[in-house]
Amino acid sequence: MKRFLVSLLFVLISGTVLGQGADVALVNVVSGDVTYVPQAGTPGKVQPFMKLRDGDRIDVAAGAQVRIVFLEGARQELWAGPSSFRAGKTAAEAISGKAAETTYLPAGVAQRMARVPELIQFAKLGGSQLRGLTRQQKASLDQQTTLAQARAAYEKMRKDAPADDISPELYLYAALYEFLVYGEMKAVVAEMRRKQPDNEDAKALDAWLTNRMSR
């Protein structure tokens, strides 16, 4: 029963409830007053690492900004206020204000970034291991190649990101989690906490890792 409830929670988090649009983008940076109006549901404040659905309207107040990455194509857009836009499948549609600054992330980054909200919520729930990820993956023949590519993408993201942006670390954390490389994950979380000491999500990931490594 507990496993069923956890699985149901993840379905709700990922926005797959019947009647709602598909997830198309992930917020990876937000500062200031940024709000959203979904096509179905209740408007609210945009939060870091929340997913946006096709058709969601985002309003960015003066002095605020939001950066989103599209899950298909790895297009990344930085919107500064005052501006408004509507999320689409591969890009946003401007409604008002200055156009977004656009960049593209390395291949495969968007798919792993999409798992970040799930990993954070799972850590907060104190779960032992996410569904679909097994210890047998540690022995995969292409593990080193996959992780080498992830580390290279991380270095590029880190070079291009602001000094206090933990998006690169969250991406690498998600990649390392696929193979349960706890030691390196711990170092990555330590870097998150160095950049953002008060970040509650980083604290939750740190506490979860400490618990897992002590078993």
Side-chain angles (χ1 to χ4, degrees):
M1 176 60 73
K2 182 177 179 181
R3 181 177 297 177
F4 170 78
L5 291 175
V6 170
S7 298
L8 178 60
L9 175 61
F10 288 142
V11 168
L12 294 173
I13 290 169
S14 60
T16 54
V17 180
L18 187 63
Q20 296 182 342
D23 293 330
V24 294
L26 178 76
V27 175
N28 57 7
V29 169
V30 59
S31 65
D33 185 14
V34 183
T35 57
Y36 71 99
V37 181
Q39 287 192 316
T42 305
K45 294 280 189 180
V46 170
Q47 302 295 331
F49 304 106
M50 69 176 283
K51 291 180 180 178
L52 300 179
R53 301 188 181 103
D54 190 11
D56 285 354
R57 175 184 170 130
I58 310 299
D59 296 305
V60 188
Q65 66 176 16
V66 63
R67 191 177 72 200
I68 62 176
V69 57
F70 288 87
L71 306 182
E72 183 179 332
R75 176 186 173 99
Q76 186 169 248
E77 297 182 355
L78 176 64
W79 291 82
S83 62
S84 298
F85 64 92
R86 195 176 306 280
K89 291 182 179 179
T90 59
E93 176 188 354
I95 298 174
S96 65
K98 183 180 177 181
E101 296 179 14
T102 302
T103 57
Y104 286 88
L105 296 175
V109 168
Q111 288 72 26
R112 287 199 174 98
M113 289 294 291
R115 299 213 74 180
V116 167
E118 188 179 12
L119 290 168
I120 291 172
Q121 290 299 324
F122 197 74
K124 290 179 177 179
L125 287 171
S128 59
Q129 187 175 306
L130 265 183
R131 181 181 56 186
L133 298 174
T134 67
R135 288 191 178 276
Q136 283 70 28
Q137 286 180 294
K138 291 182 67 177
S140 172
L141 294 176
D142 63 354
Q143 173 187 0
Q144 293 304 319
T145 299
T146 300
L147 290 180
Q149 292 170 345
R151 293 182 186 112
Y154 164 69
E155 291 298 335
K156 184 180 186 307
M157 291 175 67
R158 186 174 183 179
K159 180 180 178 181
D160 297 339
D164 62 347
D165 185 358
I166 65 170
S167 299
E169 283 71 36
L170 284 165
Y171 158 72
L172 184 56
Y173 179 97
L176 293 167
Y177 192 96
E178 292 178 21
F179 303 101
L180 306 178
V181 187
Y182 290 141
E184 191 172 350
M185 289 164 65
K186 188 70 171 176
V188 170
V189 171
E191 179 64 6
M192 291 185 209
R193 298 200 63 185
R194 183 192 69 80
K195 288 183 175 183
Q196 297 187 16
D198 298 325
N199 187 293
E200 295 300 324
D201 293 335
K203 290 179 182 179
L205 292 174
D206 196 7
W208 181 84
L209 268 173
T210 299
N211 178 266
R212 294 297 298 165
M213 294 175 73
S214 66
R215 294 185 180 184

